[in-house]
Amino acid sequence: MKKIYAFDFDGTLTTKDTLLEFIRFAKGSGLMYAGFLLFSPLLILMKLHLYPNWKAKQKIFSWFFKGMKINEFDHLCRTFAQQNQHLLRPEGKEKVRKILEEDDITVLVISASIDNWVRPFFDEFGENIRVIGTQIEIKTDRVTGRFTTKNCYGQEKVNRLKALYPQRETYELIAFGDSRGDKELLAYADKGFYKPFTN
């Protein structure tokens, strides 16, 4: 039977949240702190489950990147991944490498982060890894600040996987995650591993 390996990205394959690190990389620490201070009331409401996670994330993303040309944004994403490979957990990266040696497998990285900067972290593996992330809207070659998909978090991770691979009985699903946002994916899997990598 075919095996599908599904990895969460932030915290599972990385040691830090890459949204914060990407904003710091692109805008500098000062502007990053100013932005998060501005949105702190919304973030508190989000933590209390009184404001939707995706709305808070979209507002923050829009504040930092709305209006940026997409080629500039993608260049930032590629450079960020190239210069921050140290954020990847060696143990997790080695697990991915070993899995890719198996036959009849698919490897997915399913992340709430924007797929523009997640994908370049795995360039060395070419087309062998498929990234499923939150996708951003582009109009007239500029970032609008809006998302074209739901935030790839919680049940949405399962929904996106089902959309790609609807015949659940035809494959074994092995999932890896580290947070509340991975709970549904781990439950949906035949084998779920919580916080599997420590370094």
Side-chain angles (χ1 to χ4, degrees):
M1 180 182 282
K2 179 183 179 68
K3 290 183 179 180
I4 294 179
Y5 291 89
F7 292 86
D8 167 57
F9 184 61
D10 292 285
T12 300
L13 289 177
T14 71
T15 56
K16 294 182 179 180
D17 183 296
T18 56
L19 172 62
L20 298 179
E21 295 304 308
F22 180 71
I23 292 171
R24 189 196 310 273
F25 176 81
K27 301 295 182 178
S29 294
L31 194 58
M32 181 193 76
Y33 290 128
F36 278 88
L37 183 63
L38 177 67
F39 288 104
S40 57
L42 278 187
L43 294 173
I44 291 168
L45 289 174
M46 184 189 78
K47 289 291 184 184
L48 295 172
H49 305 289
L50 298 174
Y51 193 83
N53 177 297
W54 72 269
K55 276 191 177 182
K57 181 176 176 179
Q58 184 174 259
K59 282 181 180 293
I60 290 168
F61 177 80
S62 180
W63 193 80
F64 284 108
F65 299 108
K66 181 180 179 180
M68 183 178 285
K69 289 184 177 180
I70 185 57
N71 58 355
E72 181 184 348
F73 182 75
D74 281 340
H75 177 71
L76 269 175
C77 291
R78 289 191 298 272
T79 308
F80 170 68
Q82 290 164 4
Q83 295 183 12
N84 287 274
Q85 286 288 308
H86 62 275
L87 293 176
L88 291 176
R89 295 182 185 273
E91 192 179 344
K93 193 172 181 180
E94 185 58 29
K95 179 68 173 177
V96 170
R97 202 184 303 278
K98 286 190 177 300
I99 288 169
L100 289 172
E101 295 173 359
E102 298 180 20
D103 295 322
D104 200 20
I105 55 101
T106 295
V107 177
L108 307 174
V109 175
I110 305 182
S111 175
S113 278
I114 310 301
D115 58 6
N116 298 60
W117 73 69
V118 177
R119 194 179 302 111
F121 273 90
F122 304 98
D123 278 352
E124 69 175 276
F125 299 113
E127 299 299 315
N128 294 315
I129 292 179
R130 181 167 190 169
V131 172
I132 303 169
T134 301
Q135 296 178 348
I136 60 173
E137 183 182 64
I138 307 299
K139 284 189 177 178
T140 60
D141 295 324
R142 290 185 183 272
V143 176
T144 68
R146 293 186 292 270
F147 300 153
T148 59
T149 62
K150 290 183 179 180
N151 189 30
C152 194
Y153 176 93
Q155 183 60 37
E156 182 61 17
K157 291 193 175 191
V158 176
N159 295 344
R160 297 280 290 276
L161 192 146
K162 282 181 175 179
L164 286 172
Y165 305 98
Q167 296 177 302
R168 184 63 180 82
E169 69 282 357
T170 63
Y171 60 88
E172 180 183 3
L173 178 63
I174 302 101
F176 304 81
D178 80 304
S179 71
R180 168 64 189 85
D182 306 312
K183 181 180 176 182
E184 290 84 354
L185 179 64
L186 293 174
Y188 184 64
D190 296 291
K191 296 176 184 175
F193 297 92
Y194 182 72
K195 294 188 176 180
F197 312 121
T198 55
N199 60 48

